[in-house]
């Protein structure tokens, strides 16, 4: 299996951009990634674009704005994992020997399309009885509380940590830390979750240029390349019997595949960007990934182990809760953050000595299936 | 709710295709699938058993009583679902977990592990004025 490197990254500010279009946002991120890689745009051989609600051929509209029109382009939809899947597809194209320099980006203009709670597909059986995404995570939070004694206050600490980290990231949607009391006093969305337990509605884009080992030698770059050592994807299995909703077999299976590809174990991960669409989600992710023992994360979090400067920093970028969650962009933005961290360019939120970073995304829900799409991408300096 | 007439029920649109089967008396019942090879139950129905991959799968009625596994009170939703409302997962004896609205109980009285009963009944009217036939959970007080 040939090595794949990330040689360029770009990202817009995440937030509410009522005066900008998705094409505008996508183009900004793509142009920045090309500049960052310091390559001639004609070197980019193929592209993958992750988005969820941006309509037909959204990716081609961005290529037309960036001088890249004409190359093979695949638009990718896997709900909130769309961007991460685009990165994986780009890596597969390089590993297969088909291409040497490939662009992967994700983008979403969500404020123009949505208000309030996202739901599964309209014709899904559970959506038809009123299921929203906050509701499913609220019910999982209640199970984690039942099974492990997790407290409402401990869940709030996830939001407090991630919004604090976000305040150190100039591209984050939220620039102001919040207190536990403010999280608990925010309005209820789906009990026990409140507004500040939920990732916001966001617009934004993020891009990465991936490159083969053989082409790497020919590029002149300002930055050291970061190696993509694993890109794993799994889909959710049909649930049988009555499994615990306080644990994620899908995240565990995807992580095991990624660790095997990378030839490392969870103990070698220095920092993680995980899919904290809700406060409880971060708990379920890191326990599913094997980064913390099942049921123990809330207590470890309370001790500061997941802080920047802790034993295993989780979501130093601010995560979805703090940085924002423009669905298709999220998986690529995680890779952008890991590259910054592994290059040592993360500024005030730099994780000291970071050498291995893990990015986890999970997207979608359908009746009778644990989750829809799960990705784990691992990068190494 | 009082059971509607056979014709009224027939005019309703099921929440999702394949969720109900009508018995000889004209009453709709919630159905799932059971694998004839390994005995695993599924809801919603599957054409192929997800456990043993057998295609020898039969449609069977599901129990109408079970135990509350988890729940939430929803305060923000889409326009067709007025808030607040309670959603709960109920564990049925077949080893099937099913999501439904929970009614007939105050939010602060809901408990994990409480006994629930499932009733097939109209849920709402859709944008075109059709009545949607679905199911709701109620505390199991022993009565009908």
């Amino acid at each position: 299996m040939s090595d794949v490197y990330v040689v360029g990254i770009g990202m817009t500010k995440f937030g509410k951009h009522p005066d900008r279009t998705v094409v505008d946002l996508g183009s900004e991120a793509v142009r920045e990634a090309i500049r960052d890689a310091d390559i001639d745009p004609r070197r980019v051989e193929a592209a993958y674009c992750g988005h969820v609600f941006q309509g037909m051929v959204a990716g081609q509209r961005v290529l037309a704005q960036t001088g890249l029109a004409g190359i093979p382009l695949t638009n990718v939809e896997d709900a909130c994992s769309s961007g991460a899947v685009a990165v994986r597809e780009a890596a597969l194209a390089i590993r297969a020997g088909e291409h040497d320099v490939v662009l992967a980006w994700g983008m979403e203009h969500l404020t123009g399309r949505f208000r309030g709670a996202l739901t599964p597909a309209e014709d899904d059986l559970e959506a038809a009885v009123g299921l929203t995404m906050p509701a499913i995570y609220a019910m999982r939070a209640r199970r984690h509380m039942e099974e492990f004694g997790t407290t409402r206050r401990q869940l709030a600490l996830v939001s407090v940590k991630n919004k604090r980290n976000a305040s150190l990231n100039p591209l984050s949607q939220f620039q102001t830390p919040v207190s536990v009391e403010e999280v608990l006093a925010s309005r209820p969305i789906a009990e026990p979750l409140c507004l500040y337990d939920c990732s916001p509605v966001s617009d934004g884009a993020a891009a990465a240029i991936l490159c083969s080992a053989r082409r790497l030698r020919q590029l002149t770059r300002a930055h050291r390349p970061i190696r993509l050592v694993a890109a794993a994807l799994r889909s959710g299995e049909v649930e049988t019997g009555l499994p615990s909703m306080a644990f994620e077999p899908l995240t565990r299976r995807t992580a095991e595949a990624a660790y095997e590809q990378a030839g490392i174990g969870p103990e070698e991960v220095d920092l993680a960007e995980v899919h904290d669409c809700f406060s409880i989600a971060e708990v379920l992710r890191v326990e599913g990934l094997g980064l913390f023992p099942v049921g123990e994360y809330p207590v470890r979090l309370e001790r500061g182990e997941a802080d920047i400067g802790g034993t295993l920093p989780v979501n130093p970028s601010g995560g979805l809760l703090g940085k924002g969650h423009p669905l298709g962009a999220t998986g690529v933005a995680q890779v952008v953050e890991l590259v910054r961290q592994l290059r040592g360019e993360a500024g005030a939120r730099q994780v000291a000595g970071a050498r291995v970073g893990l990015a986890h995304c999970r997207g979608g829900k359908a009746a009778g299936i644990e989750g829809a799409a799960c990705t784990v991408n691992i990068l190494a300096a | 709710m009082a059971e509607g007439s056979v014709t009224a029920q027939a005019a309703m649109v099921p929440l999702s295709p394949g969720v109900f089967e009508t018995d000889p008396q004209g009453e709709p019942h919630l159905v799932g699938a059971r694998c004839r090879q390994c005995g695993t139950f599924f809801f919603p129905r599957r054409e192929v058993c997800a456990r043993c991959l057998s295609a020898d799968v039969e449609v069977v009625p599901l129990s109408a009583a079970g135990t509350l596994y988890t729940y939430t009170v929803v305060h923000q939703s889409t326009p067709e679902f007025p808030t607040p409302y309670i959603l709960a997962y109920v564990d049925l004896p077949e080893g099937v977990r099913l999501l439904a609205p929970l009614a007939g109980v105050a939010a602060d009285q809901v408990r994990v592990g409480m006994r629930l009963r499932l009733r097939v009944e109209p849920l709402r009217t859709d944008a075109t004025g059709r009545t949607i036939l679905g199911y709701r959970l109620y505390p199991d007080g022993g009565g009908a």
Side-chain angles (χ1 to χ4, degrees):
Chain A
M1 189 166 62
S2 56
D3 285 344
V4 176
Y5 294 86
V6 181
V7 297
I9 51 172
M11 179 175 153
T12 69
K13 183 172 168 59
F14 282 7
K16 297 190 188 303
H17 296 294
D19 302 328
R20 300 186 65 182
T21 66
V22 72
V23 174
D24 180 26
L25 292 166
S27 303
E28 178 187 326
V30 167
R31 279 186 279 113
E32 187 189 333
I34 291 170
R35 264 199 316 275
D36 182 62
D38 193 21
I39 55 167
D40 183 333
R42 281 168 289 214
R43 292 267 196 169
V44 178
E45 298 169 22
Y48 294 86
C49 172
H51 67 86
V52 183
F53 293 112
Q54 305 309 309
M56 282 186 283
V57 299
Q60 282 85 341
R61 298 168 65 205
V62 171
L63 291 192
Q65 289 291 347
T66 50
L68 296 172
I71 61 175
L73 172 83
T74 307
N75 288 281
V76 175
E77 186 276 308
D78 248 339
C80 303
S81 294
S82 299
V85 175
V87 171
R88 177 175 181 270
E89 290 297 324
L92 293 182
I94 292 171
R95 283 183 189 172
E98 182 76 9
H99 298 293
D100 286 305
V101 180
V102 182
L103 164 69
W105 88 99
M107 58 184 192
E108 207 77 39
H109 199 288
L110 207 52
T111 58
R113 284 165 179 79
F114 265 97
R115 294 174 66 84
L118 281 178
T119 65
E122 275 174 20
D123 58 352
D124 179 73
L125 179 61
E126 292 187 330
V129 297
L131 186 68
T132 63
M133 295 310 286
I136 185 71
Y137 281 93
M139 288 188 280
R140 303 182 74 181
R142 197 173 302 280
R143 287 308 308 185
H144 207 278
M145 293 165 137
E146 283 280 327
E147 292 178 30
F148 302 112
T150 298
T151 65
R152 188 44 275 235
R153 184 188 156 80
Q154 286 170 334
L155 291 181
L157 289 173
V158 175
S159 304
V160 170
K161 168 179 68 70
N162 293 356
K163 286 194 164 66
R164 182 174 63 235
N165 293 350
S167 74
L168 306 174
N169 182 351
L171 297 181
S172 287
Q173 181 159 357
F174 293 106
Q175 294 289 325
T176 313
V178 295
S179 65
V180 170
E181 290 67 31
E182 286 173 296
V183 176
L184 299 180
S186 62
R187 66 185 164 87
I189 299 297
E191 296 178 33
L193 302 182
C194 303
L195 182 65
Y196 289 173
D197 290 295
C198 305
S199 54
V201 174
S202 314
D203 309 321
I209 306 279
L210 280 66
C211 179
S212 67
R214 63 177 176 180
R215 186 57 55 84
L216 190 63
R217 289 179 221 111
Q218 301 166 19
L219 292 179
T220 55
R221 297 163 333 281
H223 305 291
R224 65 181 164 139
I226 302 300
R227 198 154 69 94
L228 181 68
V229 293
L233 169 68
R234 291 291 184 272
S235 59
E237 290 185 320
V238 172
E239 293 188 312
T240 58
L242 303 168
S244 170
M245 282 172 59
F247 179 73
E248 298 191 332
L250 174 56
T251 293
R252 177 58 55 94
R253 284 191 294 119
T254 313
E256 283 170 349
Y259 294 139
E260 190 182 334
Q261 278 182 39
I264 63 165
E267 64 285 348
E268 287 169 72
V269 173
D270 296 321
L271 78 157
E273 287 282 316
V274 305
H275 203 84
D276 58 326
C277 42
F278 301 94
S279 53
I280 179 63
E282 180 169 298
V283 178
L284 298 169
R285 302 338 182 195
V286 298
E287 293 181 356
L289 291 164
L291 298 175
F292 290 87
V294 174
E296 285 188 22
Y297 183 63
V299 172
R300 304 287 193 99
L301 174 72
E302 219 164 19
R303 289 188 205 146
E305 291 184 23
D307 290 350
I308 296 168
T311 50
L312 176 51
V314 178
N315 285 321
S317 73
L320 285 58
L321 288 167
K323 185 173 73 226
H325 183 26
L327 314 179
T330 286
V332 187
Q334 291 178 333
V335 169
V336 167
E337 175 69 11
L338 293 183
V339 169
R340 284 196 215 286
Q341 291 281 354
L342 298 174
R343 284 177 181 173
E345 296 175 352
R349 62 183 192 285
Q350 180 66 47
V351 174
R355 295 191 52 79
V356 176
L358 179 150
H360 163 278
C361 268
R362 234 181 101 123
K365 174 80 183 87
I369 295 172
E370 184 216 336
C374 186
T375 53
V376 174
N377 292 321
I378 301 178
L379 290 97
Chain B
M1 74 129 219
E3 296 298 330
S5 70
V6 172
T7 37
Q9 296 268 9
M12 291 183 194
V13 182
L15 191 66
S16 180
V19 172
F20 303 111
E21 294 236 318
T22 307
D23 67 18
Q25 286 71 45
E27 293 296 328
H29 291 272
L30 197 64
V31 293
R34 179 184 169 277
C35 174
R36 286 198 183 94
Q37 295 300 314
C38 76
T40 307
F41 285 83
F42 297 95
F43 181 84
R45 283 154 65 169
R46 306 284 170 199
E47 302 294 322
V48 171
C49 175
R51 179 169 283 172
C52 76
L53 305 188
S54 167
D56 187 11
V57 170
E58 62 180 340
V59 175
V60 291
L62 294 177
S63 300
T67 307
L68 189 148
Y69 177 70
T70 187
Y71 71 99
T72 182
V73 185
V74 180
H75 292 272
Q76 182 170 343
S77 189
T78 53
E80 58 186 321
F81 294 99
T83 55
Y85 58 93
I86 309 173
L87 283 177
Y89 274 105
V90 63
D91 285 350
L92 301 182
E94 291 88 348
V96 163
R97 183 172 293 148
L98 178 152
L99 180 75
L102 173 61
V105 58
D108 61 0
Q109 298 298 308
V110 181
R111 297 286 180 269
V112 169
M114 71 191 290
R115 297 287 300 165
L116 299 173
R117 181 157 287 278
L118 193 77
R119 285 193 210 158
V120 174
E121 59 185 31
L123 279 188
R124 62 180 184 276
T125 304
D126 73 9
T128 62
R130 300 178 307 176
T131 302
I132 305 295
L133 183 66
Y135 39 85
R136 270 195 197 90
L137 294 163
Y138 292 87
D140 192 354

